């Protein structure tokens, strides 16, 4: 029977171990000299005590349980549809309390500034007058929604649910790579992964002192209710899904179930006299808050895309009349535009007078002539992204691309430079994963979830996405990525007191 | 308060689950009967196929092929695999409305079908593979009863079960006792008929081993306590409909009125009269009335016109 993890602190010959080669990247479990980091000690000890066969069994049990729960997405083939689970790795990724405290304050700061930015852009546009960022870059962005201009949004909270993507660079610093402010997904995987890891490593979980994520659904519900203003004492909240064929349908149903609110589709909705209703068995029921998991373009065929049947005709007018809250507000995409991203530190400075706690990744705007020539000269070193694309599409990872791919991207860049940004290729940190019966390092990112209504709350946990292909830096599930649970430790007393103020945890 | 679409899906889940169970049982009885080398085997196959609307009466093939077809043929809209898939698809669409315990029973069965595990078990030992399917379906219903609130959603599901069951039993009885019955009803065939209705043991407790067409009709049409008699199902249907909130639409309580009328008709019908005039007419009426109730439920709770419910 093979030993799963032959390396420990008494035997710090890790980098010599071909099965777990430490590369240039920061490793979450081992320091450069091959020692187990403090936050990983308990888990590492447990990993070593289990044979690869035992680990494999646990991995299979976990996958079976995801399949049984229906945590799947559907792949449509020529003949039939297959349901797959998103690959899930059994080892949790562990974040120490002190690091989390910084992430938490950084994300809170960032979302506060971005909500102020949205209120300004869709209001007086002071920041444009002040010349902090170019007018055409904001007002010309495809995600800018003129219809939102001068519309009142309760609490100034345009973004109620945010799922930022963080990465850890070579030297161990966390950077914000992307702010996902439209309809971020993945929170159900955070909760399902937690459920699974508690069962996979029960005693390690208990001993490590992991902060709870289970309150996310009720915090989401109170965030959504706070967006109803004072229209009704007990506002009716619904989750709006594109339907069962959407790849995130499981998550929509999951959140509706855990919040105890109806999961509606466009065909269930009726707008009459600027009020939104749903068809119930006893007639029409009034709706006050819509947590929509449908993109801006599709929520109202009268206002946005005419060919959409996923929303409801007249919904936007009901919103404009103040009779229903739509969460997130339409038009939030303008603040997570990949070109606007480059200005977020300036945006934070402008509204809050503070330096950004979490740094941005250095970003070259190809719309600037000098930056474009720098990007073109360094195509083999940078990552190029199309401004409008997401999900790992429309992207060039320079060092991993072929000469031909780089050449064709260079043409595209010269033809339409405003459509592209570039960033240095960052070696995302690695974390141990079970791959084909071996424990190997794989690159990971971090997606925490932030809620913002009458207060702002960062859930002490996250979705850790994993690039399962060896050496790959692309973690998107559409590109062969997987996920794993994220443990935020509560052990550091200072971190805990910061956390308790903003995140209510069960006393029990 | 329940979404109209959700109520419709829950009602259909009930119908599909009941249908899957009934067809599984027809297949089991067919397979078991085929072990005997006599006419009864062919009769059982003929009855089962006629009861699911398959003509195949001229020359029924091998029972195992027919059973395989009833269970695994995705082309057939009512095969067990199709019903389980439809039920599961509906459940997925109302996943937020059913408990995890209930969902997982159904999803597990669906996965066993979809991964080919049921078919492999069928190849190895067909009757016990199908008994396992029936047990899984019972567990689904048991989990629903034990873990879901017995409110509107659960009642829609139960209404679906009993609406489907009344029609399936009526059709089974018509095949044997209606006009142009497909098979002579000898003792073994009557036993198989009781098995197809899952009624053999409860019947024996009431009538002892005195197996006769008259008693079977009495039991499967009028018994008040046996959960698969038509009267029991129509009484349940009326009960569930009466406990639902008032629907919308023209007839508001049309579904309930129809169910009450059908139930009363069965309550006051007489087995003497049925035996004298033949059961065909009453059994046909049960089928028609159930179809009318089905439409009324849809129009009252799901597809009602909007004008009626808009605020003034």
């Amino acid at each position: 029977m093979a030993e799963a993890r032959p390396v420990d602190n008494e035997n710090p010959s890790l980098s010599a171990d071909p099965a777990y080669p430490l590369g240039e990247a920061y490793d979450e479990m081992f320091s450069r000299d091959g020692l187990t980091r403090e936050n990983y000690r308990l888990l590492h000890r447990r990993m070593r005590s289990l044979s690869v066969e035992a680990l494999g069994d646990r991995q299979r049990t976990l996958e079976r349980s995801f399949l049984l729960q229906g945590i799947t997405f559907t792949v449509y083939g020529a003949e039939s549809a297959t349901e797959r689970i998103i690959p899930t790795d059994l080892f949790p990724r562990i974040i120490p309390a002190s690091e989390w405290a910084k992430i938490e304050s950084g994300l809170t700061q960032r979302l506060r500034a971005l909500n102020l930015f949205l209120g300004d852009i869709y209001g007086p546009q002071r920041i444009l007058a002040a010349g902090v960022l170019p007018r055409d870059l904001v007002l010309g962005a495809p995600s800018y929604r003129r219809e939102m201009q001068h519309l009142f949004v309760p609490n100034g909270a345009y973004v109620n649910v945010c799922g930022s993507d963080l990465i850890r660079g070579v030297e161990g610093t966390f950077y914000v790579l992307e702010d996902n402010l439209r309809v971020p997904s993945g929170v159900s995987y955070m909760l399902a992964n937690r459920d699974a890891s508690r069962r996979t490593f029960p005693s390690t979980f208990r001993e490590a002192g992991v902060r709870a994520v289970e309150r996310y659904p009720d915090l989401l519900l109170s965030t959504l209710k706070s967006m109803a203003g004072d229209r009704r004492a007990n506002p009716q909240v619904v989750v709006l899904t594109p339907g069962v064929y959407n790849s995130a349908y499981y998550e929509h149903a999951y959140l509706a179930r855990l919040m105890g609110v109806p999961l509606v589709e466009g065909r269930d909705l009726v707008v009459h006299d600027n009020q939104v209703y749903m068809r119930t068995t006893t007639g029409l029921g009034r709706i006050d808050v819509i947590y929509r998991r449908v993109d801006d373009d599709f929520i109202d065929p009268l206002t946005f895309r005419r060919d959409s049947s996923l929303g409801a005709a007249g919904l936007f007018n009901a919103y404009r009349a103040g009779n229903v809250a739509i969460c997130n507000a339409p038009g939030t995409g303008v603040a997570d535009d990949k070109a606007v991203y480059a200005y977020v530190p300036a945006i934070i400075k402008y509204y809050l007078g503070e330096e950004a706690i979490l740094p941005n990744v250095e970003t070259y705007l190809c719309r600037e002539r000098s930056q474009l020539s720098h990007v073109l000269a360094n195509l083999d070193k940078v990552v190029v992204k199309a401004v409008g694309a997401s999900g790992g599409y429309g992207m060039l990872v320079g060092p991993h691309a072929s000469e031909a791919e780089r050449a064709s991207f260079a043409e595209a860049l010269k033809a339409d430079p405003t459509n592209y940004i570039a960033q240095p290729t960052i070696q995302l940190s690695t974390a141990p994963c079970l791959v084909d019966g071996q424990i190997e390092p794989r690159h990971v990112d971090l997606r925490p979830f932030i809620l913002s209504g009458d207060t702002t709350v960062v859930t002490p946990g996250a979705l850790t996405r994993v690039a399962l292909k060896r050496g790959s830096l692309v973690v998107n599930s559409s590109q062969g990525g997987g996920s794993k649970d994220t443990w935020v430790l509560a052990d550091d007393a200072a971190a805990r007191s910061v956390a308790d103020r903003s995140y209510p945890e069960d006393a029990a | 308060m329940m979404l109209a679409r959700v109520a419709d899906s829950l009602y259909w889940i009930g119908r599909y689950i009941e249908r899957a169970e009934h067809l599984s049982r027809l297949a089991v009885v067919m397979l078991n009967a085929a072990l005997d080398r006599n006419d009864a085997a062919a009769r059982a196959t003929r009855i089962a196929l006629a009861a699911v609307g398959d003509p195949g009466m001229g020359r029924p093939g091998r029972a195992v092929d027919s059973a395989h077809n009833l269970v695994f043929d995705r082309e057939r809209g009512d095969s067990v695999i199709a019903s389980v898939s439809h039920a599961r698809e509906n459940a997925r669409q109302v996943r937020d409305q059913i408990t995890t315990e209930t969902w997982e029973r159904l999803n597990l069965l669906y996965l066993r079908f979809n991964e080919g595990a049921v078919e492999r078990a069928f190849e190895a030992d067909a009757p016990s593979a199908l008994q396992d399917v029936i047990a899984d379906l019972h567990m689904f219903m048991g989990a629903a009863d034990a873990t879901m609130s017995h409110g509107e959603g659960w009642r829609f599901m139960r209404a679906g079960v009993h609406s489907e069951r009344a029609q399936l039993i009526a059709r089974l009885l018509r095949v044997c006792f209606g006009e142009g019955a497909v098979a002579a009803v000898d003792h073994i065939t009557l036993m198989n008929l009781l098995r197809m209705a899952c009624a053999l043991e409860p019947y024996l407790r009431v009538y002892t081993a005195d197996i006769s067409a008259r008693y079977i009709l009495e039991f499967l049409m009028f018994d008040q306590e046996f959960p698969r008699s038509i009267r029991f199902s129509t009484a349940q249907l009326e009960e569930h409909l009466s406990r639902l909130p008032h629907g919308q639409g023209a007839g508001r309580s049309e579904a309930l009125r129809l169910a009450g009328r059908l139930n009363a008709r069965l309550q006051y019908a007489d087995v003497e009269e049925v035996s004298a005039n033949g059961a065909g007419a009453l059994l046909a009426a049960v089928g028609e009335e159930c179809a009318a109730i089905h439409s009324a439920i849809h129009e009252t709770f799901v597809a009602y016109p909007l004008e009626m419910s808009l605020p003034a």
Side-chain angles (χ1 to χ4, degrees):
Chain A
M1 210 176 252
E3 268 295 297
R5 178 62 265 154
V7 177
D8 61 28
N9 292 345
E10 290 75 49
N11 176 21
S13 59
L14 180 78
S15 32
D17 175 5
Y20 203 97
L22 283 179
E24 184 198 349
Y26 179 97
D27 190 77
E28 299 284 338
M29 184 157 78
F30 296 112
S31 67
R32 294 239 170 262
D33 44 15
L35 296 176
T36 312
R37 294 185 196 277
E38 216 148 276
N39 48 315
Y40 266 92
R41 285 230 173 113
L42 280 170
L43 180 67
H44 187 206
R45 194 195 301 159
R46 187 75 187 116
M47 285 161 77
R48 282 173 49 222
S49 72
L50 293 166
S51 67
V52 281
E53 287 80 6
L55 289 171
D57 282 347
R58 284 172 196 228
Q59 176 72 31
R60 277 185 293 279
T61 307
L62 181 133
E63 284 168 4
R64 186 71 195 165
S65 120
F66 272 57
L67 196 59
L68 185 56
Q69 290 174 67
I71 312 179
T72 54
F73 65 101
T74 311
V75 183
Y76 293 95
E79 294 255 305
S80 64
T82 340
E83 280 177 46
R84 301 243 176 89
I85 60 168
I86 289 193
T88 299
D89 182 70
L90 79 171
F91 302 128
R93 184 257 192 91
I94 304 177
I95 298 180
S98 54
E99 286 185 346
W100 184 258
K102 184 176 173 189
I103 291 174
E104 186 179 37
S105 54
L107 291 173
T108 307
Q109 176 199 51
R110 203 168 167 102
L111 188 54
R112 267 177 65 212
L114 290 171
N115 269 325
L116 287 168
F117 173 68
L118 285 162
D120 188 14
I121 288 301
Y122 291 123
Q125 302 187 338
R126 288 186 299 118
I127 197 167
L128 301 183
V132 174
L133 67 174
R135 189 173 284 272
D136 69 305
L137 184 138
V138 176
L139 304 184
S143 45
Y144 169 76
R145 295 274 175 263
R146 184 197 311 278
E147 297 83 354
M148 286 295 293
Q149 207 65 48
H150 303 302
L151 235 152
F152 171 74
V153 174
N155 308 308
Y158 288 75
V159 178
N160 310 108
V161 181
C162 169
S164 304
D165 287 339
L166 271 53
I167 57 173
R168 205 203 265 275
V170 173
E171 76 297 356
T173 312
F174 277 105
Y175 296 89
V176 179
L177 182 64
E178 259 173 45
D179 304 285
N180 294 304
L181 308 177
R182 304 172 198 209
V183 278
S185 63
V187 77
S188 60
Y189 290 94
M190 172 183 84
L191 296 166
N193 285 343
R194 172 56 54 87
D195 212 43
S197 78
R198 287 165 64 104
R199 278 181 283 139
T200 313
F201 297 106
S203 55
T204 314
F205 178 82
R206 199 172 46 244
E207 254 185 280
V210 180
R211 295 184 62 191
V213 294
E214 285 77 5
R215 292 209 48 192
Y216 182 83
D218 78 83
L219 294 171
L220 173 60
L221 183 61
S222 52
T223 300
L224 294 170
K225 280 186 171 175
S226 80
M227 296 306 290
D230 46 11
R231 271 196 301 279
R232 282 212 288 176
N234 197 12
Q236 175 69 58
V237 176
V238 300
V239 177
L240 173 63
T241 174
V244 73
Y245 299 109
N246 186 273
S247 60
Y249 177 78
Y250 168 78
E251 177 158 307
H252 309 157
Y254 183 85
L255 291 173
R257 185 160 47 88
L258 291 189
M259 289 194 286
V261 306
L263 177 66
V264 304
E265 298 179 18
R267 56 191 163 132
D268 299 319
L269 299 181
V270 178
V271 183
H272 177 72
D273 232 359
N274 280 344
Q275 294 283 358
V276 184
Y277 302 91
M278 58 186 158
R279 296 180 66 114
T280 77
T281 53
T282 52
L284 297 181
R286 203 181 129 179
I287 294 173
D288 302 293
V289 181
I290 300 177
Y291 176 35
R292 48 97 177 205
R293 297 297 299 260
V294 175
D295 289 338
D296 279 4
D297 276 344
F298 299 97
I299 53 179
D300 183 351
L302 296 183
T303 308
F304 304 111
R305 271 180 68 153
R306 283 169 191 284
D307 58 348
S308 167
S309 57
L310 302 177
L315 181 56
F316 193 81
N317 272 343
Y319 179 62
R320 188 196 291 280
N323 292 333
V324 70
I326 299 178
C327 304
N328 293 345
T332 51
V334 71
D336 74 5
D337 181 274
K338 286 186 167 68
V340 172
Y341 162 86
Y343 293 93
V344 172
I347 289 171
I348 293 173
K349 183 92 179 165
Y350 180 78
Y351 292 108
L352 304 178
E354 300 168 4
E355 298 299 326
I357 298 170
L358 291 172
N360 259 21
V361 174
E362 192 181 356
T363 301
Y364 309 105
L365 295 170
C366 300
R367 69 203 316 266
E368 308 284 335
R369 188 175 287 277
S370 62
Q371 302 194 13
L372 174 64
S373 51
H374 174 83
V375 170
L376 288 172
N378 293 284
L379 265 187
D380 57 337
K381 300 188 188 72
V382 298
V383 176
V384 184
K385 294 176 182 173
V387 172
S390 65
Y393 296 102
M395 195 169 137
L396 174 88
V397 182
H400 297 178
S402 68
E403 199 63 51
E405 284 169 318
R406 284 201 290 267
S408 86
F409 248 79
E411 289 310 307
L413 275 170
K414 283 182 232 163
D416 186 11
T418 55
N419 192 34
Y420 292 95
I421 59 145
Q423 293 165 335
T425 306
I426 295 193
Q427 285 295 319
L428 312 188
S429 62
T430 53
C433 296
L434 189 69
V435 185
D436 301 329
Q438 288 260 39
I439 299 173
E440 294 184 19
R442 287 292 182 271
H443 293 291
V444 295
D445 79 347
L446 183 75
R447 178 177 287 183
F449 294 92
I450 310 108
L451 295 171
S452 181
D454 49 359
T455 62
T456 299
V457 182
V458 183
T459 305
L463 174 68
T464 288
R465 298 189 299 173
V466 184
L468 285 171
K469 269 180 271 178
R470 179 178 303 180
S472 167
L473 295 170
V474 185
V475 295
N476 305 76
S477 60
S478 53
Q479 315 280 320
S483 79
K484 55 164 65 211
D485 190 22
T486 310
W487 290 2
V488 173
L489 300 184
D491 61 354
D492 186 305
R496 184 188 272 278
S497 73
V498 171
D500 282 349
R501 273 205 305 281
S502 59
Y503 192 86
E505 261 167 316
D506 284 327
Chain B
M1 197 282 306
M2 165 156 283
L3 283 179
R5 174 176 56 82
V6 167
D8 192 41
S9 282
L10 288 167
Y11 172 83
W12 273 105
I13 291 171
R15 291 201 64 160
Y16 285 129
I17 293 293
E18 183 63 22
R19 196 175 296 175
E21 183 186 337
H22 185 71
L23 264 77
S24 302
R25 190 170 290 109
L26 292 183
V28 172
V29 176
M30 223 151 80
L31 288 165
N32 285 331
L35 300 176
D36 297 323
R37 297 179 63 91
N38 57 29
D39 291 353
R43 279 191 204 120
T45 305
R46 220 175 287 156
I47 288 170
L49 293 184
V52 296
D54 249 3
M57 283 152 44
R59 261 194 67 233
R62 292 199 311 145
V64 67
D65 295 332
S66 302
H68 188 277
N69 177 266
L70 282 189
V71 178
F72 297 107
D73 186 357
R74 285 178 189 273
E75 302 293 305
R76 293 184 66 105
D78 64 347
S79 68
V80 177
I81 195 169
S83 293
V84 168
S85 302
H86 291 320
R88 193 264 191 179
E89 189 61 19
N90 274 280
R92 215 161 92 79
Q93 293 187 32
V94 297
R95 179 61 192 87
D96 58 315
Q97 296 288 329
I98 51 181
T99 57
T100 298
E101 290 82 356
T102 313
W103 157 257
E104 290 194 351
R105 294 329 308 174
L106 181 54
N107 195 36
L108 185 65
L109 178 60
Y110 166 81
L111 291 172
R112 292 213 303 121
F113 265 108
N114 219 34
E115 295 162 351
V118 177
E119 197 158 3
R120 284 193 296 277
F122 185 94
E123 308 295 343
D125 179 353
S128 62
L130 297 179
Q131 295 290 8
D132 286 350
V133 168
I134 292 171
D136 280 352
L137 292 164
H138 286 165
M139 273 202 275
F140 168 80
M141 275 303 168
D145 284 358
T147 63
M148 281 174 70
S149 279
H150 288 199
E152 206 180 341
W154 178 81
R155 289 193 186 281
F156 272 108
M157 201 158 90
R158 296 306 301 175
V161 167
H162 285 291
S163 158
E164 181 75 17
R165 188 178 288 173
Q167 295 181 67
L168 292 171
I169 298 293
R171 216 181 304 158
L172 184 62
L173 292 175
R174 270 178 89 185
V175 167
C176 300
F177 305 116
E179 281 156 42
V182 297
V185 281
D186 58 284
H187 184 81
I188 294 177
T189 302
L190 288 177
M191 296 266 284
N192 281 335
L193 171 62
L194 284 168
R195 288 192 182 100
M196 288 176 190
C198 195
L200 183 58
E201 290 169 27
Y203 174 94
L204 295 177
R205 299 192 74 81
V206 176
Y207 298 96
T208 68
D210 183 3
I211 307 236
S212 77
R214 181 185 183 280
Y215 289 153
I216 289 178
L217 272 175
E218 185 174 81
F219 191 60
L220 288 183
M221 290 182 80
F222 304 120
D223 193 87
Q224 290 190 52
E225 291 167 353
F226 178 58
R228 284 160 202 280
S229 81
I230 294 173
R231 179 163 166 215
F232 188 94
S233 280
T234 57
Q236 286 286 306
L237 194 53
E238 185 184 3
E239 158 77 8
H240 290 305
L241 290 175
S242 76
R243 302 282 290 274
L244 290 175
H246 282 297
Q248 298 286 313
R252 283 184 85 89
S253 50
E254 179 67 0
L256 179 57
R257 191 183 69 77
L258 290 173
R261 193 177 70 184
L262 174 60
N263 195 32
R265 189 163 169 189
L266 285 161
Q267 206 168 335
Y268 298 110
D270 190 283
V271 72
E272 312 295 338
E273 170 201 328
V274 166
S275 309
N277 306 332
L282 184 52
L283 290 168
V286 168
E288 282 156 24
E289 289 289 301
C290 282
I293 294 167
H294 171 88
S295 306
I297 289 175
H298 192 71
E299 274 153 34
T300 308
F301 297 105
V302 182
Y304 53 84
L306 282 180
E307 301 80 59
M308 319 220 28
S309 51
L310 287 172

